[in-house]
Amino acid sequence: AQSVTQLGSHVSVSEGALVLLRCNYSSSVPPYLFWYVQYPNQGLQLLLKYTSAATLVKGINGFEAEFKKSETSFHLTKPSAHMSDAAEYFCAVSGYNQGGKLIFGQGTELSVKP
Amino acid sequence: DTAVSQTPKYLVTQMGNDKSIKCEQNLGHDTMYWYKQDSKKFLKIMFSYNNKELIINETVPNRFSPKSPDKAHLNLHINSLELGDSAVYFCASSQEPSGLSYNEQFFGPGTRLTVL
């Protein structure tokens, strides 16, 4: 069985500040991990993914995430927040031969203050 | 060109009615999905099809019936609509050789269904 927990349903940062969105997973098989972003009234867009290669993964828009097996975590970071980063962020887990099934966390809404 | 498109974007209907949502992808992918996003923004997979074959069917009431006429299309028909069916429904697609599950899923813009 697989599950994802995102700590904090809402995170607020100032423009230029570090963004840290937390994700912990549980998986009975080696996990594939994803971060998706959803802008208001839009579909989801992939930010980055981990598929058992490098543990530090770089994505689009300056985001990156580090896979830590010992901590079962896959936290998303960005050194300097921009107003355009305000959106809903979803962490998701899948696994080998799962037919593409993504299990999503409950989402974290990121607000960026000027 | 839109990669994954859904119609309609908004759907308002009465309880008990039957409605359909259509999805098309022009990415040449072999796997398509339906997800439901509830009012708290929680996303849950409902179905997936690989090359027109049903692969995932997640404890969804049998009032929901997906149909995939070809690889590029996956429609969702809902019978006897209930208040609890109100949600945003997202279609997605990916290329999943042998169901490996690590490829990016491309999402459509969503269909907001409101049942009155």
Side-chain angles (χ1 to χ4, degrees), chain A residues 32 34 36 38 41-46 49 51 88 90 94-102 104-106, chain B residues 9 33 35 37 41-43 45 48 56 58 90 96 98-105 107-109 112:
Chain A
Y32 302 136
F34 306 80
Y36 281 84
Q38 184 180 26
N41 299 314
Q42 293 185 28
L44 281 73
Q45 178 185 4
L46 181 70
K49 66 178 182 181
T51 56
E88 190 85 21
F90 293 94
S94 184
Y96 178 79
N97 217 21
Q98 298 293 300
K101 179 178 174 180
L102 282 175
F104 284 92
Q106 65 270 45
Chain B
K9 189 167 175 62
Y33 313 81
Y35 288 88
Q37 186 173 46
K41 297 196 175 178
F42 182 66
L43 272 157
I45 190 165
S48 81
I56 296 172
E58 287 285 304
F90 286 100
E96 292 293 347
S98 305
L100 294 177
S101 303
Y102 56 62
N103 286 326
E104 175 180 1
Q105 292 187 18
F107 284 76
R112 183 174 294 275

Side-chain angles (χ1 to χ4, degrees), chain A residues 3-114:
Chain A
S3 66
V4 173
T5 302
Q6 291 182 240
L7 297 175
S9 59
H10 186 248
V11 169
S12 182
V13 301
S14 297
E15 193 172 18
L18 172 71
V19 175
L20 170 60
L21 304 182
R22 299 177 188 273
C23 172
N24 288 88
Y25 70 91
S26 171
S27 180
S28 55
V29 297
Y32 302 136
L33 293 158
F34 306 80
W35 275 100
Y36 281 84
V37 61
Q38 184 180 26
Y39 297 103
N41 299 314
Q42 293 185 28
L44 281 73
Q45 178 185 4
L46 181 70
L47 279 177
L48 48 81
K49 66 178 182 181
Y50 165 78
T51 56
S52 76
T55 56
L56 182 61
V57 181
K58 294 187 185 300
I60 62 171
N61 301 338
F63 285 93
E64 63 181 39
E66 186 172 7
F67 171 69
K68 292 187 177 180
K69 185 177 178 181
S70 60
E71 298 177 8
T72 60
S73 69
F74 191 58
H75 302 330
L76 182 71
T77 60
K78 181 174 180 177
S80 177
H82 192 272
M83 297 295 290
S84 61
D85 294 326
E88 190 85 21
Y89 290 80
F90 293 94
C91 183
V93 65
S94 184
Y96 178 79
N97 217 21
Q98 298 293 300
K101 179 178 174 180
L102 282 175
I103 305 295
F104 284 92
Q106 65 270 45
T108 298
E109 183 182 1
L110 176 66
S111 300
V112 182
K113 299 175 291 188

Side-chain angles (χ1 to χ4, degrees), chain B residues 25-96:
Chain B
Q25 55 97 1
N26 62 8
L27 298 167
H29 290 162
D30 59 9
T31 305
M32 296 184 71
Y33 313 81
W34 279 111
Y35 288 88
K36 179 181 180 181
Q37 186 173 46
D38 64 21
S39 58
K40 296 184 179 178
K41 297 196 175 178
F42 182 66
L43 272 157
K44 188 168 167 35
I45 190 165
M46 300 173 69
F47 303 102
S48 81
Y49 271 75
N50 180 276
N51 283 317
K52 302 194 299 176
E53 181 185 348
L54 181 66
I55 301 297
I56 296 172
N57 184 345
E58 287 285 304
T59 59
V60 176
N62 57 17
R63 297 182 296 103
F64 290 78
S65 52
K67 282 189 174 52
S68 181
D70 56 57
K71 257 179 38 169
H73 296 85
L74 180 61
N75 304 322
L76 183 65
H77 188 76
I78 315 170
N79 289 326
S80 304
L81 278 155
E82 300 178 357
L83 293 176
D85 298 333
S86 294
V88 181
Y89 292 84
F90 286 100
C91 177
S93 74
S94 69
Q95 190 65 20
E96 292 293 347

